[in-house]
Every structure is written in structure tokens, then in C-alpha cells.
Amino acid sequence: MIRTNKNRPKIQDPTTMASDEHHLTPYLNETLPSLGLDPETYGPYVTGFDDDENDNDQDEDALNDLIELLRASSETHSDDEEAWEAFRKEIVKRQADHAKKLEQKK
């Protein structure tokens, strides 16, 4: 039996895969499990928040609400105040870094 290329699974080019990925995804894939959360389940909450166009006050309130949701869902770190504050600060830092990169591309 001869197999043609049509029967083989399509493999995505790694150079294009990264450009389709949200800028926070690698960080979330690494960090959420250490906070007792599944990245496939909870990562989209964070990336969805980051894609919203809000003013700064709304952003901060929304991020705090999101952190509280994630914290309540954590099976292992719900009481670890320092871990959640570090997570929040890192999200804010990565958002700012990403915004700067986008601005430089213009």
C-alpha cells in the first residue's frame, strides 16, 4: 500500500507557531501548574483579559478580579498571598513589555 502526503498528519512549522501564540501563553503554561491550575483551562481567562481594550483603572480592577477567580480555583496555593501578588506583577510587566514591542514595530 502506498501512502500519499494527503494521509500524513500536517505538522505546523515551528517558526509560524510562535507568531500565532498569545504572548503570555508560554509563561502561563509554565506558571499556572505551579499555582495549582491547569493552563489549558485557566490560560484563556488570562489571555482573554489581556486582549480586552479597557482603560487603566478598568484593567487593574479586572486583573484583580481575575486573580481572585484563579486564586479561588487553585487547589494548592489559594492562601499564598505572595505567589499571587508575584503572578499579578509579572502579568502587568509582560503586558507592558509586549505593548512596548508593538509600539516599536509601528
Side-chain angles (χ1 to χ4, degrees):
M1 175 185 245
I2 299 174
R3 291 186 70 175
T4 64
N5 284 342
K6 287 193 286 185
N7 296 335
R8 292 187 182 165
K10 205 172 197 179
I11 298 174
Q12 188 170 4
D13 179 355
T15 58
T16 61
M17 197 172 4
S19 66
D20 293 342
E21 186 175 69
H22 191 278
H23 70 277
L24 289 174
T25 299
Y27 171 71
L28 296 173
N29 286 341
E30 179 182 319
T31 306
L32 289 178
S34 70
L35 293 169
L37 297 169
D38 176 47
E40 289 182 13
T41 303
Y42 293 99
Y45 287 97
V46 181
T47 57
F49 156 78
D50 186 48
D51 290 339
D52 289 345
E53 297 290 328
N54 296 321
D55 65 38
N56 288 339
D57 290 338
Q58 286 179 327
D59 275 351
E60 191 168 335
D61 289 344
L63 180 57
N64 289 334
D65 290 345
L66 175 62
I67 297 295
E68 285 304 311
L69 169 79
L70 296 174
R71 187 175 176 174
S73 300
S74 174
E75 296 177 5
T76 59
H77 286 76
S78 61
D79 295 330
D80 190 346
E81 194 77 37
E82 289 179 17
W84 291 104
E85 183 59 23
F87 180 70
R88 188 186 71 72
K89 286 180 180 178
E90 188 63 24
I91 294 294
V92 170
K93 178 187 175 298
R94 288 174 182 261
Q95 287 174 315
D97 291 348
H98 183 70
K100 284 180 188 175
K101 285 179 186 176
L102 291 178
E103 190 63 33
Q104 290 173 351
K105 287 183 179 181
K106 289 183 180 180

XYZ file of all heavy atoms in Angstrom:
860
model
N 0.840 -1.175 0.000
C 0.000 0.000 0.000
C 0.889 1.243 0.000
O 1.818 1.350 0.780
C -0.893 -0.026 1.234
C -1.704 1.226 1.376
S -2.621 1.227 2.911
C -4.243 1.180 2.266
N 0.581 2.146 -0.870
C 1.351 3.378 -0.990
C 0.605 4.487 -0.271
O -0.580 4.700 -0.497
C 1.550 3.761 -2.479
C 2.326 2.656 -3.189
C 2.247 5.100 -2.580
C 2.433 2.879 -4.675
N 1.322 5.153 0.635
C 0.722 6.286 1.355
C 1.110 7.580 0.644
O 2.246 7.778 0.279
C 1.224 6.348 2.793
C 0.696 5.208 3.620
C 1.091 5.376 5.036
N 0.328 6.499 5.580
C 0.368 6.864 6.826
N 1.124 6.231 7.675
N -0.333 7.872 7.254
N 0.162 8.402 0.484
C 0.434 9.691 -0.140
C 0.555 10.743 0.957
O 0.216 10.505 2.113
C -0.695 10.092 -1.102
O -1.883 10.264 -0.343
C -0.895 9.057 -2.185
N 1.001 11.912 0.591
C 1.152 13.008 1.551
C -0.185 13.430 2.150
O -0.228 13.996 3.229
C 1.830 14.204 0.902
C 3.309 13.988 0.746
O 3.880 13.124 1.404
N 3.930 14.756 -0.129
N -1.284 13.169 1.437
C -2.597 13.547 1.950
C -2.935 12.810 3.244
O -3.668 13.305 4.067
C -3.694 13.264 0.914
C -3.688 14.214 -0.239
C -4.956 14.080 -1.039
C -4.933 12.808 -1.857
N -6.090 12.674 -2.750
N -2.385 11.612 3.429
C -2.701 10.809 4.601
C -1.832 11.125 5.810
O -2.102 10.648 6.898
C -2.563 9.317 4.267
C -3.557 8.888 3.221
O -4.605 9.511 3.066
N -3.229 7.841 2.487
N -0.808 11.869 5.624
C 0.081 12.193 6.731
C -0.462 13.377 7.511
O -1.030 14.302 6.936
C 1.470 12.530 6.224
C 2.153 11.331 5.655
C 3.562 11.645 5.316
N 4.142 10.454 4.714
C 5.260 10.438 4.054
N 5.956 11.537 3.909
N 5.720 9.324 3.550
N -0.267 13.347 8.825
C -0.724 14.499 9.605
C 0.082 15.741 9.252
O 1.270 15.648 8.961
C -0.475 14.077 11.054
C 0.447 12.926 10.994
C 0.334 12.320 9.630
N -0.580 16.843 9.273
C 0.072 18.100 8.956
C 0.858 18.558 10.179
O 0.339 18.588 11.285
C -0.991 19.137 8.597
C -0.513 20.227 7.730
C -1.674 21.076 7.291
C -1.275 21.899 6.105
N -2.338 22.720 5.629
N 2.093 18.906 9.995
C 2.937 19.392 11.078
C 3.112 20.886 10.877
O 3.529 21.336 9.810
C 4.302 18.683 11.091
C 4.088 17.194 11.319
C 5.207 19.284 12.149
C 5.338 16.374 11.209
N 2.811 21.625 11.934
C 2.924 23.075 11.830
C 4.388 23.491 11.920
O 5.158 22.963 12.715
C 2.136 23.749 12.947
C 2.046 25.238 12.777
C 1.078 25.854 13.750
O 0.528 25.176 14.592
N 0.864 27.136 13.631
N 4.749 24.429 11.096
C 6.101 24.968 11.096
C 6.336 25.706 12.413
O 5.582 26.606 12.764
C 6.233 25.925 9.912
C 7.595 26.579 9.805
O 8.433 26.367 10.698
O 7.815 27.297 8.816
N 7.378 25.343 13.170
C 7.631 25.978 14.459
C 7.849 27.480 14.371
O 7.573 28.199 15.313
C 8.889 25.293 14.985
C 9.160 24.148 14.098
C 8.338 24.295 12.875
N 8.305 27.968 13.247
C 8.531 29.401 13.123
C 7.225 30.170 13.018
O 7.143 31.313 13.433
C 9.418 29.727 11.896
O 8.779 29.224 10.723
C 10.795 29.134 12.056
N 6.179 29.546 12.491
C 4.885 30.228 12.414
C 4.041 29.953 13.646
O 3.175 30.736 13.983
C 4.094 29.807 11.165
O 3.852 28.407 11.222
C 4.812 30.186 9.913
N 4.314 28.872 14.347
C 3.536 28.523 15.519
C 3.650 29.614 16.584
O 2.678 30.023 17.172
C 4.024 27.190 16.086
C 3.040 26.580 17.021
S 3.440 24.901 17.552
C 4.982 24.504 16.872
N 4.840 30.098 16.822
C 5.059 31.093 17.859
C 4.329 32.397 17.547
O 3.865 33.074 18.448
C 6.541 31.350 18.038
N 4.222 32.758 16.279
C 3.572 34.017 15.940
C 2.064 33.943 16.153
O 1.426 34.963 16.368
C 3.895 34.414 14.500
O 3.326 33.484 13.608
N 1.475 32.756 16.116
C 0.050 32.599 16.348
C -0.280 32.513 17.834
O -1.415 32.693 18.226
C -0.469 31.325 15.664
C -0.402 31.425 14.150
O -0.293 32.550 13.632
O -0.458 30.375 13.503
N 0.715 32.242 18.634
C 0.523 32.036 20.057
C 0.446 33.385 20.782
O 1.172 34.315 20.463
C 1.716 31.215 20.561
C 1.644 30.786 21.975
C 2.807 29.876 22.319
O 3.942 30.363 22.371
O 2.558 28.681 22.511
N -0.431 33.486 21.762
C -0.536 34.694 22.580
C 0.770 34.888 23.336
O 1.392 33.923 23.777
C -1.711 34.551 23.548
C -2.053 35.823 24.233
N -1.367 36.260 25.341
C -2.997 36.751 23.968
C -1.880 37.412 25.741
N -2.865 37.732 24.914
N 1.189 36.121 23.511
C 2.488 36.380 24.130
C 2.585 35.886 25.578
O 3.682 35.653 26.079
C 2.845 37.872 24.046
C 2.021 38.749 24.916
N 0.778 39.223 24.544
C 2.244 39.236 26.150
C 0.282 39.963 25.511
N 1.147 39.987 26.494
N 1.475 35.696 26.261
C 1.511 35.204 27.641
C 1.461 33.680 27.747
O 1.723 33.134 28.820
C 0.342 35.790 28.443
C 0.417 37.265 28.775
C -0.877 37.725 29.441
C 1.607 37.565 29.661
N 1.134 32.991 26.669
C 0.928 31.545 26.726
C 2.129 30.769 27.270
O 1.949 29.929 28.161
C 0.473 31.005 25.366
O -0.766 31.638 25.019
C 0.282 29.505 25.393
N 3.356 31.012 26.796
C 4.476 30.249 27.360
C 4.635 30.464 28.875
O 4.872 29.511 29.618
C 5.699 30.780 26.605
C 5.145 31.327 25.340
C 3.787 31.860 25.689
N 4.479 31.698 29.309
C 4.572 31.997 30.742
C 3.459 31.286 31.521
O 3.701 30.692 32.571
C 4.506 33.510 30.973
C 4.385 33.882 32.425
C 5.469 33.715 33.287
C 3.196 34.383 32.943
C 5.350 34.045 34.632
C 3.084 34.718 34.281
C 4.164 34.545 35.123
O 4.052 34.864 36.449
N 2.251 31.330 31.001
C 1.121 30.692 31.681
C 1.282 29.178 31.724
O 0.962 28.549 32.737
C -0.193 31.072 30.994
C -0.555 32.553 31.057
C -1.772 32.834 30.191
C -0.779 33.006 32.482
N 1.778 28.595 30.635
C 1.994 27.144 30.605
C 2.999 26.702 31.660
O 2.914 25.599 32.183
C 2.450 26.690 29.222
C 1.326 26.706 28.212
O 0.154 26.705 28.554
N 1.691 26.732 26.947
N 3.940 27.572 31.947
C 4.954 27.268 32.951
C 4.476 27.572 34.373
O 4.733 26.814 35.296
C 6.210 28.095 32.652
C 7.339 27.888 33.624
C 8.526 28.768 33.281
O 8.859 28.904 32.092
O 9.103 29.326 34.223
N 3.759 28.669 34.544
C 3.438 29.176 35.875
C 2.144 28.629 36.464
O 2.096 28.345 37.666
C 3.367 30.716 35.829
O 4.586 31.206 35.286
C 3.165 31.301 37.209
N 1.102 28.503 35.664
C -0.185 28.082 36.228
C -0.112 26.730 36.941
O -0.691 26.594 38.034
C -1.276 28.094 35.154
C -1.705 29.490 34.686
C -2.747 29.383 33.580
C -2.239 30.319 35.846
N 0.578 25.727 36.412
C 0.662 24.462 37.156
C 1.319 24.627 38.536
O 0.915 23.970 39.497
C 1.498 23.551 36.259
C 1.273 24.087 34.883
C 1.173 25.581 35.071
N 2.291 25.518 38.634
C 2.937 25.738 39.931
C 2.006 26.435 40.919
O 2.251 26.426 42.125
C 4.235 26.533 39.761
O 3.958 27.859 39.385
N 0.924 27.018 40.398
C -0.095 27.642 41.251
C -1.296 26.723 41.461
O -2.310 27.142 42.013
C -0.555 28.971 40.640
C 0.490 30.081 40.604
C 0.005 31.239 39.745
C 0.834 30.541 42.007
N -1.186 25.499 41.002
C -2.263 24.533 41.181
C -3.387 24.663 40.181
O -4.524 24.286 40.466
N -3.085 25.197 38.997
C -4.106 25.410 37.967
C -3.683 24.788 36.642
O -2.507 24.790 36.294
C -4.346 26.906 37.758
C -4.884 27.673 38.959
C -4.817 29.167 38.703
C -6.301 27.252 39.281
N -4.656 24.301 35.902
C -4.416 23.717 34.583
C -4.330 24.849 33.551
O -5.285 25.626 33.408
C -5.566 22.769 34.233
C -5.437 22.208 32.836
O -4.334 21.748 32.482
O -6.445 22.231 32.099
N -3.218 24.958 32.827
C -3.082 26.055 31.856
C -4.079 25.994 30.701
O -4.483 27.028 30.184
C -1.649 25.940 31.347
C -1.135 24.640 31.815
C -2.010 24.147 32.914
N -4.485 24.795 30.300
C -5.454 24.700 29.202
C -6.820 25.221 29.634
O -7.566 25.756 28.818
C -5.569 23.260 28.724
C -4.345 22.794 27.966
C -4.487 21.373 27.448
O -5.607 20.826 27.450
O -3.468 20.804 27.039
N -7.140 25.072 30.892
C -8.425 25.538 31.402
C -8.394 27.021 31.744
O -9.302 27.773 31.376
C -8.832 24.733 32.651
O -8.878 23.348 32.307
C -10.179 25.181 33.193
N -7.356 27.450 32.461
C -7.334 28.810 33.001
C -6.524 29.807 32.177
O -6.712 31.015 32.329
C -6.829 28.774 34.453
C -7.804 28.064 35.343
C -7.612 26.735 35.702
C -8.946 28.709 35.794
C -8.535 26.069 36.503
C -9.869 28.057 36.592
C -9.660 26.739 36.944
O -10.580 26.088 37.722
N -5.644 29.333 31.308
C -4.870 30.238 30.461
C -5.735 31.152 29.607
O -5.460 32.358 29.527
N -6.802 30.630 28.986
C -7.642 31.508 28.160
C -8.304 32.658 28.933
O -8.583 33.705 28.357
C -8.706 30.548 27.599
C -8.005 29.229 27.562
C -7.139 29.221 28.789
N -8.539 32.471 30.225
C -9.071 33.582 31.022
C -8.078 34.739 31.027
O -8.458 35.899 30.874
C -9.324 33.147 32.470
C -10.513 32.248 32.656
C -10.360 30.866 32.732
C -11.785 32.773 32.781
C -11.444 30.035 32.913
C -12.883 31.952 32.964
C -12.712 30.586 33.025
O -13.788 29.768 33.203
N -6.810 34.410 31.216
C -5.779 35.447 31.300
C -5.525 36.061 29.931
O -5.460 37.285 29.804
C -4.475 34.881 31.902
C -3.422 35.983 32.017
C -4.731 34.240 33.264
N -5.406 35.239 28.908
C -5.150 35.789 27.580
C -6.367 36.574 27.077
O -6.203 37.567 26.385
C -4.757 34.696 26.567
O -5.781 33.709 26.498
C -3.430 34.059 26.954
N -7.555 36.159 27.450
C -8.765 36.905 27.080
C -8.816 38.249 27.764
O -9.195 39.259 27.173
N -8.416 38.276 29.028
C -8.351 39.548 29.752
C -7.352 40.476 29.077
O -7.606 41.651 28.886
C -7.932 39.309 31.211
C -7.305 40.515 31.839
C -8.090 41.564 32.285
C -5.929 40.621 31.941
C -7.502 42.700 32.835
C -5.342 41.739 32.490
C -6.134 42.786 32.934
N -6.209 39.945 28.718
C -5.144 40.755 28.127
C -5.554 41.323 26.780
O -5.076 42.380 26.392
C -3.871 39.917 27.975
C -2.701 40.747 27.500
O -2.473 41.828 28.067
O -2.027 40.311 26.557
N -6.453 40.663 26.071
C -6.889 41.145 24.764
C -7.956 42.231 24.853
O -8.239 42.896 23.875
C -7.434 39.985 23.928
C -6.330 39.033 23.501
O -5.157 39.450 23.500
O -6.647 37.878 23.186
N -8.557 42.400 26.031
C -9.599 43.414 26.202
C -9.015 44.810 26.098
O -7.908 45.075 26.546
C -10.304 43.268 27.557
C -11.183 42.039 27.626
O -11.484 41.463 26.557
O -11.573 41.649 28.741
N -9.791 45.701 25.526
C -9.386 47.100 25.412
C -10.114 47.906 26.484
O -11.236 48.339 26.305
C -9.733 47.646 24.015
C -9.012 46.965 22.885
C -7.524 47.284 22.869
O -7.146 48.394 23.276
O -6.753 46.411 22.454
N -9.491 48.088 27.634
C -10.068 48.855 28.733
C -9.119 49.981 29.097
O -7.961 49.980 28.726
C -10.261 47.962 29.972
C -11.262 46.852 29.736
O -12.265 47.060 29.079
N -10.980 45.686 30.280
N -9.634 50.955 29.897
C -8.709 51.962 30.401
C -7.951 51.376 31.593
O -8.240 50.287 32.060
C -9.449 53.264 30.749
C -10.431 53.119 31.892
O -10.128 52.392 32.858
O -11.505 53.750 31.834
N -6.953 52.091 32.078
C -6.064 51.561 33.106
C -6.782 51.181 34.395
O -6.452 50.167 35.004
C -4.933 52.553 33.400
C -3.929 52.599 32.265
O -3.845 51.670 31.463
N -3.168 53.674 32.188
N -7.737 52.011 34.844
C -8.465 51.692 36.078
C -9.289 50.420 35.907
O -9.321 49.569 36.792
C -9.381 52.852 36.491
C -8.597 54.059 36.972
O -7.425 53.878 37.384
O -9.136 55.181 36.928
N -9.959 50.292 34.770
C -10.736 49.088 34.498
C -9.822 47.877 34.376
O -10.159 46.795 34.843
C -11.565 49.243 33.222
C -12.755 50.140 33.367
C -13.511 50.278 32.056
O -12.912 50.256 30.981
N -14.817 50.415 32.149
N -8.665 48.055 33.741
C -7.701 46.963 33.605
C -7.268 46.448 34.966
O -7.231 45.244 35.190
C -6.456 47.420 32.838
C -6.609 47.336 31.337
O -7.614 46.767 30.868
O -5.719 47.838 30.638
N -6.915 47.346 35.859
C -6.440 46.938 37.177
C -7.536 46.223 37.958
O -7.294 45.188 38.573
C -5.930 48.149 37.960
C -5.197 47.739 39.212
C -4.442 48.882 39.845
O -4.080 49.845 39.152
O -4.220 48.800 41.065
N -8.748 46.759 37.918
C -9.871 46.109 38.605
C -10.158 44.740 38.008
O -10.377 43.767 38.736
C -11.133 46.978 38.527
C -11.045 48.226 39.391
O -10.168 48.288 40.285
O -11.848 49.156 39.159
N -10.154 44.667 36.685
C -10.432 43.398 36.008
C -9.342 42.371 36.317
O -9.637 41.194 36.548
C -10.557 43.610 34.505
N -8.090 42.813 36.333
C -6.996 41.893 36.652
C -7.110 41.399 38.089
O -6.929 40.208 38.353
C -5.638 42.556 36.415
C -4.416 41.691 36.707
C -4.441 40.397 35.882
C -3.133 42.457 36.453
N -7.424 42.284 39.010
C -7.594 41.866 40.406
C -8.736 40.862 40.545
O -8.616 39.876 41.285
C -7.811 43.078 41.311
C -6.554 43.891 41.479
O -5.446 43.381 41.349
N -6.709 45.176 41.745
N -9.831 41.103 39.838
C -10.956 40.149 39.858
C -10.538 38.802 39.271
O -10.895 37.744 39.799
C -12.152 40.701 39.076
C -12.824 41.877 39.773
O -12.568 42.102 40.972
O -13.607 42.580 39.095
N -9.785 38.848 38.187
C -9.310 37.622 37.552
C -8.386 36.845 38.492
O -8.516 35.623 38.636
C -8.584 37.949 36.253
C -7.939 36.772 35.533
C -8.984 35.744 35.119
C -7.153 37.257 34.341
N -7.477 37.547 39.151
C -6.563 36.893 40.093
C -7.357 36.238 41.224
O -7.055 35.113 41.635
C -5.527 37.894 40.655
C -4.639 38.451 39.545
C -4.704 37.267 41.776
C -3.750 37.457 38.861
N -8.378 36.900 41.700
C -9.213 36.313 42.759
C -9.926 35.051 42.271
O -10.027 34.071 43.011
C -10.227 37.336 43.284
C -9.602 38.384 44.179
C -8.858 37.773 45.363
O -9.424 36.898 46.060
O -7.698 38.162 45.584
N -10.405 35.063 41.042
C -11.033 33.879 40.465
C -10.035 32.724 40.388
O -10.336 31.596 40.794
C -11.580 34.184 39.068
C -12.029 32.966 38.264
C -13.400 32.513 38.723
C -12.013 33.248 36.788
N -8.856 33.007 39.861
C -7.829 31.977 39.744
C -7.407 31.466 41.119
O -7.254 30.262 41.332
C -6.608 32.516 38.992
C -6.830 32.921 37.536
C -5.573 33.566 36.961
C -7.268 31.742 36.697
N -7.257 32.375 42.030
C -6.849 32.017 43.390
C -7.882 31.104 44.047
O -7.533 30.116 44.695
C -6.657 33.293 44.199
C -6.089 33.078 45.552
C -5.825 34.409 46.201
N -5.354 34.181 47.548
C -4.921 35.113 48.345
N -4.878 36.364 47.936
N -4.510 34.825 49.555
N -9.143 31.426 43.885
C -10.211 30.599 44.459
C -10.260 29.219 43.813
O -10.679 28.249 44.436
C -11.558 31.304 44.297
N -9.806 29.136 42.570
C -9.821 27.865 41.847
C -8.593 27.006 42.125
O -8.592 25.818 41.819
C -9.899 28.137 40.343
O -11.061 28.866 40.030
N -7.565 27.601 42.700
C -6.322 26.877 42.954
C -6.514 25.837 44.046
O -7.072 26.126 45.103
C -5.217 27.846 43.373
O -4.055 27.136 43.754
N -6.024 24.642 43.776
C -6.129 23.561 44.751
C -4.987 23.591 45.755
O -5.082 22.976 46.809
C -6.151 22.211 44.034
C -7.363 22.043 43.144
C -7.347 20.738 42.383
O -6.447 19.913 42.605
O -8.250 20.546 41.559
N -3.908 24.295 45.438
C -2.726 24.221 46.298
C -2.232 25.558 46.827
O -1.525 25.589 47.824
C -1.552 23.558 45.542
O -1.268 24.323 44.370
C -1.880 22.130 45.155
N -2.546 26.668 46.162
C -1.951 27.945 46.543
C -2.976 29.046 46.829
O -2.659 30.220 46.730
C -1.003 28.428 45.439
C 0.272 27.677 45.382
N 0.358 26.419 44.853
C 1.509 27.996 45.809
C 1.605 25.998 44.941
N 2.319 26.932 45.517
N -4.175 28.681 47.198
C -5.196 29.713 47.396
C -4.858 30.664 48.533
O -5.279 31.814 48.530
C -6.565 29.076 47.629
O -6.539 28.268 48.791
N -4.061 30.225 49.501
C -3.707 31.076 50.643
C -2.335 31.732 50.520
O -1.919 32.457 51.418
C -3.735 30.256 51.942
C -5.138 29.772 52.267
O -6.109 30.466 51.896
O -5.260 28.697 52.896
N -1.643 31.504 49.434
C -0.291 32.026 49.260
C -0.335 33.425 48.656
O -0.241 33.608 47.436
C 0.527 31.080 48.387
C 2.008 31.418 48.360
O 2.381 32.522 48.797
O 2.777 30.561 47.887
N -0.477 34.413 49.510
C -0.607 35.819 49.098
C 0.569 36.273 48.227
O 0.381 36.936 47.206
C -0.686 36.694 50.356
C -1.134 38.099 50.121
C -2.618 38.212 49.919
O -3.393 37.495 50.553
O -3.011 39.048 49.084
N 1.779 35.893 48.607
C 2.976 36.318 47.874
C 3.018 35.745 46.461
O 3.403 36.440 45.518
C 4.236 35.908 48.637
C 4.461 36.696 49.901
C 5.705 36.250 50.658
O 6.565 35.564 50.063
O 5.803 36.594 51.840
N 2.620 34.504 46.305
C 2.632 33.878 44.977
C 1.665 34.585 44.036
O 1.995 34.827 42.867
C 2.277 32.396 45.081
N 0.499 34.946 44.532
C -0.497 35.603 43.672
C -0.108 37.036 43.362
O -0.344 37.522 42.257
C -1.886 35.509 44.305
C -2.349 34.103 44.274
C -2.395 33.225 45.318
C -2.756 33.365 43.123
N -2.818 31.993 44.877
C -3.050 32.050 43.542
C -2.901 33.678 41.773
C -3.478 31.058 42.663
C -3.329 32.693 40.901
C -3.613 31.402 41.340
N 0.511 37.722 44.305
C 0.975 39.082 44.036
C 2.107 39.053 43.009
O 2.153 39.883 42.100
C 1.442 39.762 45.332
C 1.872 41.199 45.146
C 0.800 42.128 44.593
O -0.410 41.835 44.718
O 1.174 43.163 44.003
N 3.005 38.087 43.126
C 4.091 37.942 42.146
C 3.519 37.619 40.766
O 3.995 38.156 39.748
C 5.063 36.858 42.591
N 2.501 36.772 40.703
C 1.855 36.424 39.440
C 1.223 37.666 38.809
O 1.411 37.943 37.626
C 0.800 35.336 39.681
C 0.065 34.907 38.452
C 0.685 34.171 37.456
C -1.279 35.225 38.293
C -0.002 33.767 36.323
C -1.981 34.822 37.168
C -1.333 34.090 36.179
N 0.507 38.448 39.611
C -0.138 39.667 39.108
C 0.908 40.643 38.574
O 0.766 41.194 37.471
C -0.965 40.338 40.210
C -1.807 41.499 39.699
C -2.512 42.234 40.821
N -1.584 43.004 41.625
C -0.984 44.126 41.224
N -1.194 44.604 40.031
N -0.162 44.763 42.025
N 1.977 40.855 39.327
C 3.021 41.783 38.896
C 3.686 41.323 37.600
O 4.003 42.139 36.734
C 4.077 41.943 39.989
C 3.601 42.787 41.154
C 4.683 42.918 42.202
C 4.202 43.777 43.366
N 5.228 43.881 44.412
N 3.886 40.026 37.461
C 4.517 39.504 36.248
C 3.599 39.678 35.038
O 4.071 40.005 33.942
C 4.904 38.040 36.431
C 5.733 37.480 35.314
C 7.097 38.133 35.140
O 7.636 38.706 36.101
O 7.628 38.063 34.011
N 2.306 39.494 35.223
C 1.354 39.712 34.119
C 1.412 41.175 33.681
O 1.494 41.477 32.486
C -0.086 39.317 34.530
C -0.190 37.826 34.787
C -1.101 39.782 33.488
C 0.013 36.944 33.588
N 1.387 42.091 34.644
C 1.438 43.523 34.327
C 2.737 43.861 33.602
O 2.730 44.579 32.596
C 1.280 44.369 35.619
C 1.585 45.839 35.356
C -0.118 44.197 36.193
N 3.852 43.325 34.081
C 5.154 43.576 33.452
C 5.177 43.043 32.024
O 5.613 43.730 31.094
C 6.267 42.918 34.265
C 7.653 43.084 33.675
C 8.660 42.264 34.453
C 10.034 42.290 33.846
N 10.116 41.723 32.502
N 4.696 41.835 31.834
C 4.708 41.242 30.491
C 3.769 41.981 29.535
O 4.060 42.115 28.350
C 4.374 39.756 30.565
C 5.530 38.960 31.159
C 5.165 37.507 31.372
N 6.257 36.790 31.985
C 7.126 36.019 31.321
N 7.004 35.842 30.026
N 8.104 35.416 31.962
N 2.651 42.487 30.048
C 1.755 43.285 29.211
C 2.452 44.562 28.759
O 2.374 44.939 27.590
C 0.478 43.657 29.975
C -0.476 42.523 30.169
C -1.628 42.949 31.057
O -1.443 43.591 32.086
N -2.828 42.565 30.667
N 3.123 45.224 29.692
C 3.818 46.473 29.364
C 4.949 46.218 28.366
O 5.117 46.986 27.405
C 4.361 47.111 30.641
N 5.720 45.154 28.590
C 6.802 44.811 27.660
C 6.265 44.527 26.266
O 6.831 44.971 25.260
C 7.587 43.596 28.163
C 8.404 43.893 29.409
O 8.560 45.077 29.784
O 8.868 42.910 30.042
N 5.161 43.804 26.198
C 4.557 43.476 24.903
C 4.043 44.743 24.215
O 4.229 44.923 22.999
C 3.432 42.470 25.092
C 2.807 42.021 23.821
N 3.462 41.219 22.907
C 1.592 42.280 23.283
C 2.668 41.003 21.874
N 1.531 41.641 22.071
N 3.417 45.633 24.979
C 2.911 46.890 24.402
C 4.068 47.729 23.845
O 3.938 48.332 22.776
C 2.143 47.675 25.458
N 5.197 47.745 24.548
C 6.368 48.487 24.058
C 6.872 47.898 22.741
O 7.222 48.631 21.820
C 7.486 48.454 25.092
C 7.274 49.372 26.258
C 8.424 49.269 27.220
C 8.141 50.037 28.503
N 9.215 49.841 29.508
N 6.922 46.569 22.664
C 7.378 45.919 21.437
C 6.456 46.248 20.266
O 6.915 46.500 19.156
C 7.441 44.403 21.621
C 8.609 43.968 22.451
C 8.585 42.457 22.603
C 9.667 41.993 23.555
N 9.608 40.538 23.803
N 5.153 46.250 20.532
C 4.208 46.585 19.471
C 4.364 48.021 19.028
O 4.274 48.333 17.838
C 2.771 46.332 19.946
C 2.360 44.880 20.147
C 0.924 44.803 20.677
C 2.483 44.088 18.859
N 4.598 48.908 19.974
C 4.772 50.327 19.667
C 6.037 50.545 18.832
O 6.051 51.370 17.919
C 4.836 51.144 20.960
C 4.765 52.615 20.753
C 3.475 53.100 20.134
O 2.411 52.511 20.394
O 3.516 54.077 19.363
N 7.088 49.809 19.141
C 8.344 49.948 18.396
C 8.213 49.454 16.960
O 8.929 49.929 16.088
C 9.462 49.182 19.106
C 9.899 49.802 20.402
C 10.880 48.957 21.167
O 11.137 47.800 20.813
N 11.438 49.494 22.231
N 7.302 48.528 16.719
C 7.108 47.997 15.372
C 6.396 48.992 14.459
O 6.426 48.853 13.250
C 6.319 46.676 15.420
C 7.124 45.527 15.942
C 6.317 44.255 15.890
C 7.112 43.069 16.382
N 6.330 41.835 16.316
N 5.724 49.963 15.053
C 4.945 50.923 14.246
C 5.824 51.886 13.518
O 6.874 52.207 13.702
C 3.971 51.699 15.127
C 2.845 50.848 15.603
C 1.869 51.663 16.402
C 0.718 50.795 16.892
N -0.233 51.544 17.652
